[in-house]
Amino acid sequence: MNILNKYIDHTILKATATKFDIIKLCKEAVTHDFFSVCVNSCYVSLAKAEIKNNNTKVCSVIGFPLGAMSTKAKVEETKQAIKDGADEIDMVINIGLLKSEAFDAVYNDIKAVKDQLPNQVLKVILETCYLTDQEVTKASQLAIKAGADFIKTSTGFGTAGATVHHVKLMKDAIKNSNTKIKASGGIRDTKTALQYINLGVDRIGTSNGIAIVTGKSSGEKSY
């Protein structure tokens, strides 16, 4: 199942994650040659030091998990994450502003973060569990317009994670663009991961990466 490893963003984002958990995550990612580790921004420098000269990237979440902080706060968090060595940024959109139909504000929020990334990859988390189909499509369009490299389904902290239905809506939205899709939340085994990959997803966010690539249970972690 080596083909699966490069789809995996090996993830730990829970509030109780310790430095030791991050070190373990990084060791696992290097061992299995996962695409990246995905951590909260306070741990980017630690993860970068642990990954060292290996191929695995370091991804930082921004504005996580609510997306409801000020744009300036997201920008400053992004700047620090990049300074600390992040290769990729997964930012949460402002869901409340989207639902308020303040579409310019949502776009500007994403664009402000994108503008901090000369070379790094930006993934924009829609948190699809809270959105109508129309809002999923609109959020996808705004993220694409703002320069997102990926649109991502979920934080893993909402009421539900990735669904086939939402990924299909996102796939329709990215037609005629270079934007890709990251599915995350509730993807815990090989069969489910392959289902999303076969739909056209280019990245999988999960804390169950080892189980996915080995076919063996890893205790079914939550993300």
Side-chain angles (χ1 to χ4, degrees):
M1 283 301 178
N2 284 342
I3 191 170
L4 284 173
N5 60 344
K6 285 303 185 182
Y7 283 90
I8 303 294
D9 287 348
H10 195 40
T11 302
I12 188 166
L13 297 168
K14 60 185 181 181
T16 54
T18 66
K19 292 171 69 174
F20 305 104
D21 293 328
I22 302 302
I23 292 168
K24 181 173 181 281
L25 182 87
C26 292
K27 289 183 187 304
E28 291 171 346
V30 169
T31 297
H32 294 279
D33 195 25
F34 290 138
F35 191 93
S36 82
V37 291
C38 188
V39 298
N40 283 298
S41 58
C42 70
Y43 286 132
V44 170
S45 58
L46 174 61
K48 196 70 174 181
E50 288 298 316
I51 295 297
K52 295 176 184 169
N53 297 319
N54 291 285
N55 293 326
T56 301
K57 305 293 185 184
V58 176
C59 173
S60 175
V61 291
I62 297 294
F64 196 87
L66 301 178
M69 54 293 299
S70 68
T71 297
K72 184 175 181 181
K74 290 180 180 177
V75 166
E76 291 304 316
E77 187 178 17
T78 301
K79 286 180 179 178
Q80 188 63 49
I82 297 303
K83 184 178 179 182
D84 289 343
D87 302 294
E88 301 193 339
I89 296 294
D90 285 23
M91 73 162 286
V92 186
I93 67 163
N94 193 308
I95 300 159
L97 289 180
L98 181 76
K99 287 188 165 291
S100 301
E101 298 186 3
F103 299 135
D104 286 347
V106 176
Y107 166 81
N108 289 332
D109 189 56
I110 301 168
K111 185 69 164 57
V113 171
K114 175 64 176 179
D115 286 345
Q116 307 307 314
L117 311 178
N119 302 305
Q120 295 82 4
V121 167
L122 176 63
K123 306 190 210 90
V124 176
I125 306 172
L126 310 184
E127 198 67 302
T128 51
C129 63
Y130 296 132
L131 306 182
T132 65
D133 288 0
Q134 292 78 11
E135 287 168 343
V136 170
T137 298
K138 185 64 177 179
S140 298
Q141 292 168 344
L142 291 167
I144 293 162
K145 182 182 175 185
D149 298 287
F150 283 77
I151 47 176
K152 175 179 170 181
T153 58
S154 318
T155 62
F157 286 73
T159 55
T163 69
V164 168
H165 175 67
H166 287 142
V167 167
K168 286 180 176 177
L169 288 175
M170 293 161 70
K171 190 175 177 183
D172 284 341
I174 65 170
K175 286 178 181 176
N176 305 315
S177 79
N178 294 320
T179 306
K180 300 175 182 178
I181 296 172
K182 175 176 173 179
S184 60
I187 302 171
R188 300 180 181 129
D189 56 59
T190 309
K191 181 180 177 182
T192 307
L194 286 172
Q195 180 182 28
Y196 284 107
I197 290 167
N198 289 335
L199 276 174
V201 163
D202 282 280
R203 203 80 66 81
I204 301 286
T206 180
S207 53
N208 291 272
I210 296 172
I212 288 170
V213 299
T214 64
K216 299 174 183 177
S217 173
S218 58
E220 193 162 292
K221 298 168 187 175
S222 59
Y223 184 85

